[in-house]
């Protein structure tokens, strides 16, 4: 039987250990390179973190608003304010175009009759009338508008006062275009009418700009001061004189105050009733201007400078406050009893100039 060569176990273990050590050395050399390889190994760096650009939020879109009403507009037309003297005697009614005025001031003239200063800018009526003469308080009403004033007649000093106040004069007596006598509306002088666009077409370069706001208007009706802090009211009865007694009644359906002359609804020639979003009453001094009209009656002058009591009615509510006006060309300001700004609702405003000694305002 052939002999079998055997290797002692201790020798076999020694051989295996050597083999394993040799293999490990070879593997380590393969991974780390030759001991003589001095090529630098670049350090491991972390990719920079790029912060997202900080983008400012878009500016809020502020819609344009008509300066005299505060009503939102698609675009505000670049045209000046146009004040027109409108008659309010019994012979003058019904009038035309008062429903398209942005702002209307009511004043007492000779004999206790009232007269209007109707201010237009956001709307362009086809015609307005009847148009009558100016009075000594008109500069203080119209001067802050820096625009035009159209009228028929007026004592020379009153007309000069308007010019001195910086207004552009559109006078029928001076031959300005746009005036005419309307047939079928009554005898002279109650039949002078005018075309507002023709008046605007005559504006010169110094009187062509959009007017400044005359009152501080809230952004929405429910944010007006009267709506927020006023007391409920349904009627504003104004006693200007024994002849002029306008009454304003709140109409929730139209969200306006509806005007009456005494107990009769105040209607326009178009069939529309006179209405306002805001009714403002100002207690004012009324003095003798020292002049008389052609019939010999003394001409009263409303002193629209200084300060006095005021009420503002909006949204079926009324709030009391004060008015202040520093001078002829200063904008009149309204404040609450604690001195805060008194805001109106966006829309048409009528201002009643109530004689402090002989007039009255009754809110109910």
């Amino acid at each position: 039987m052939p002999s079998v060569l055997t290797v002692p176990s201790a020798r076999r273990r020694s051989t295996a250990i050597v083999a394993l050590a040799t293999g490990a050395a070879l593997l380590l050399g393969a991974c780390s390179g030759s001991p003589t390889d001095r090529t630098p190994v670049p350090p491991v760096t972390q990719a920079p973190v790029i912060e997202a650009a900080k983008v400012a939020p878009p500016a809020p879109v502020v819609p344009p608003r008509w300066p005299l009403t505060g009503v939102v507009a698609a675009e505000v037309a670049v045209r000046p304010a146009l004040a027109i003297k409108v008659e309010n005697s019994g012979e003058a009614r019904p009038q035309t175009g008062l429903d398209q005025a942005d702002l209307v001031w009511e004043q007492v003239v000779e004999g206790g009759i009232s007269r209007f200063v109707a201010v237009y800018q956001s709307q362009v009526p086809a015609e307005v009338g009847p148009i009558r003469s100016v009075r000594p308080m008109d500069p203080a009403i119209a001067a802050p508008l820096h625009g035009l004033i159209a009228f028929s007649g007026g004592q020379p000093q009153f007309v000069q006062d308007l010019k001195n106040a910086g207004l552009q004069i559109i006078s029928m007596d001076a031959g300005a275009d746009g005036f005419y006598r309307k047939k079928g509306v009554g005898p002279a002088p109650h039949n002078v009418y005018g075309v507002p666009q023709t008046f605007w077409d005559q504006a010169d370069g110094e009187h062509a700009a959009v007017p400044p706001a005359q009152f501080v208007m809230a952004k929405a009706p429910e944010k007006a001061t009267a709506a927020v802090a006023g007391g409920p009211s349904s009627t504003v009865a104004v006693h200007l004189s024994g002849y002029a007694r306008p009454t304003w009644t709140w109409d929730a359906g139209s969200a306006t105050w509806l005007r009456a002359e005494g107990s009769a609804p105040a209607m326009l020639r178009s069939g529309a009733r006179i209405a306002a979003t805001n009714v403002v009453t100002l207690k004012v001094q009324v003095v003798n201007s020292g002049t008389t009209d052609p019939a010999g009656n003394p001409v009263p002058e409303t002193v629209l400078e200084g300060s006095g009591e005021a009420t503002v009615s909006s949204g079926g509510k009324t709030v009391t406050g004060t008015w202040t006006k520093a001078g002829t060309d200063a904008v009149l300001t309204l404040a609450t009893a604690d001195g805060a700004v008194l805001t109106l609702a966006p829309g048409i405003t009528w201002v009643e100039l109530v004689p402090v000694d002989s007039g009255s305002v009754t809110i109910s």
Side-chain angles (χ1 to χ4, degrees), residues 60-80:
V61 177
V62 180
R65 293 175 181 268
W66 292 106
L68 302 183
T69 65
V71 174
V72 173
E75 182 180 358
V76 174
V78 180
R79 58 173 166 258

Side-chain angles (χ1 to χ4, degrees), residues 96-158:
T96 297
L98 287 174
D99 54 334
Q100 293 178 271
D102 294 341
L103 179 61
V104 180
W105 299 72
E106 185 169 19
Q107 59 191 214
V108 176
V109 296
E110 312 85 82
I113 295 171
S114 72
R115 190 160 289 180
F116 303 136
V117 179
V119 182
Y120 299 85
Q121 200 268 331
S122 69
Q123 299 187 65
V124 182
E127 64 177 358
V128 172
I131 299 174
R132 290 298 300 274
S133 57
V134 293
R135 289 297 182 272
M137 54 285 229
D138 293 336
I141 292 173
L145 296 163
H146 307 300
L148 319 176
I149 183 165
F151 56 91
S152 171
Q155 297 189 31
Q157 61 267 41
F158 300 162

Side-chain angles (χ1 to χ4, degrees), residues 73-95:
E75 182 180 358
V76 174
V78 180
R79 58 173 166 258
L82 168 63
I84 302 178
K85 289 303 302 284
V86 179
E87 188 180 4
N88 191 39
S89 65
E91 298 87 346
R93 302 172 194 153
Q95 297 96 335

Side-chain angles (χ1 to χ4, degrees), residues 261-276:
E261 299 287 356
S263 59
M267 307 301 292
L268 297 174
R269 190 163 294 279
S270 65
R273 186 169 179 179
I274 295 176

Side-chain angles (χ1 to χ4, degrees), residues 339-361:
V341 174
L342 205 165
T343 62
L344 279 60
I348 295 170
T349 299
W350 278 62
V351 183
E352 304 285 1
L353 299 175
V354 185
V356 67
D357 295 325
S358 58
S360 65
V361 179

Side-chain angles (χ1 to χ4, degrees), residues 260-300:
E261 299 287 356
S263 59
M267 307 301 292
L268 297 174
R269 190 163 294 279
S270 65
R273 186 169 179 179
I274 295 176
T277 305
N278 306 289
V279 176
V280 178
T281 71
L282 308 178
K283 288 292 188 68
V284 294
Q285 292 286 343
V286 177
V287 299
N288 189 332
S289 68
T291 60
T292 58
D293 67 7
N297 299 309
V299 176

